[in-house]
Amino acid sequence: MADAGLTGPVLSPAARQVLATWLDQVGAALGGPARLRARIVAELDDGVRSAAEQHLTTGVDPLDAARAAVAEFGDPDTVAASFHGELTAHLARRSGTALVGSGPLVGIVWLAALVPPLWPPRPAELLGPHPLYLAVLAVAVPAALVAITLTGPLGHRLAHHPAHAARAATLAATACVVGDALLLTTFAHTAFATPTALSWPAAPLAIAVSATRLVLAFRAARRCSGGSPIRVAAPR
C-alpha cells in the first residue's frame, strides 16, 4: 500500500514517503473489509498526491509540498473516522444480504432432515408446531430487507440517520441467532425423543449449516451494534 499510486515524476522519494506514511496510517485506522479499505485509500491517494503536486506549482520544496498536502487533509485518525458511516453502511448491507441469502439454504437442509421430508415445502405444516420460529422469521426477514434498502440506491433518496441501517441489520442478525438456536434446540429434543423422525444423512448437514449461521449472525449483530468495532480510531 505504501507505494501504490505514488509514482508522480515531480515528487521526490522523500516527498512520496511522507504521503505513503500518511496513507498507511489512515489505512491502519480504517479497518473494515480489505476491499473497501483499499478503495478508500486509493481515493485518498489520488487526492493527497494531487494536492502535493498543486503545492509544487507554487515553487515550494517537494518535501514541504507533501507535508502541506497531508496537513490539509488532516490527522490520519480524524480522516479515518470520517468514513465510519460508509463502513457501517457497508457492513449493514453485507450482513442483511447474507442473512436473506442464507435463509433458503437453511430451510432446504432442515426440510431434508425431516422424515418424511416436507417436499414440496408445506409452510403451515412445518411452522405450525413452532409459532416462535414463525415470529423470528417475521422479524428477521423484514429487518434484513430494511437494512438492504437503506444502504441501496433507494436509501440514498430517503431521509434517514446512518445508524438506522445498522440497527436493522443488528435486529435481523439477532433474530437469526434466536432462530438457529431454536432449530438446534428442537433438533436436540427430537433426536432424543423420536430419533426416527429425522433423516440422519441430512441431519448433520442441517446442524452444521445452522451452527455456522448462528456464529456468523452473532458476530454480525455485535459488529453492527458496535459491540465489536470496525476499528475506526476515535479522533485525537
Side-chain angles (χ1 to χ4, degrees):
M1 183 173 66
D3 296 327
L6 301 174
T7 57
V10 294
L11 292 173
S12 67
R16 293 199 299 269
Q17 185 58 47
V18 169
L19 302 184
T21 299
W22 182 82
L23 288 167
D24 284 342
Q25 291 172 346
V26 173
L30 274 172
R35 184 176 298 179
L36 179 59
R37 184 172 68 248
R39 180 178 66 76
I40 292 173
V41 171
E43 293 174 357
L44 290 172
D45 178 3
D46 289 340
V48 74
R49 180 159 45 87
S50 296
E53 292 172 350
Q54 183 63 35
H55 281 291
L56 279 176
T57 63
T58 65
V60 302
D61 176 83
L63 189 56
D64 290 336
R67 289 169 176 165
V70 299
E72 285 178 2
F73 273 72
D75 174 75
D77 288 346
T78 303
V79 173
S82 69
F83 289 96
H84 183 267
E86 183 176 349
L87 289 166
T88 301
H90 176 86
L91 176 61
R93 183 172 184 83
R94 187 175 64 177
S95 299
T97 302
L99 293 174
V100 170
S102 65
L105 173 61
V106 173
I108 288 172
V109 295
W110 279 105
L111 287 170
L114 298 176
V115 176
L118 282 179
W119 199 263
R122 298 186 291 279
E125 184 176 342
L126 179 63
L127 296 173
H130 308 288
L132 186 55
Y133 191 74
L134 184 60
V136 168
L137 289 178
V139 172
V141 175
L145 292 176
V146 167
I148 295 171
T149 300
L150 291 180
T151 54
L154 180 59
H156 295 308
R157 304 193 196 117
L158 301 174
H160 67 89
H161 192 279
H164 290 167
R167 289 170 184 162
T170 300
L171 180 60
T174 302
C176 281
V177 169
V178 174
D180 282 308
L182 282 173
L183 288 173
L184 293 171
T185 301
T186 301
F187 168 82
H189 179 268
T190 304
F192 179 78
T194 54
T196 56
L198 296 171
S199 173
W200 288 101
L205 177 60
I207 295 170
V209 169
S210 269
T212 300
R213 191 175 71 162
L214 188 153
V215 172
L216 295 177
F218 178 77
R219 289 178 58 189
R222 287 196 65 210
R223 295 182 68 187
C224 289
S225 67
S228 180
I230 311 177
R231 290 198 304 111
V232 177
R236 285 197 285 254

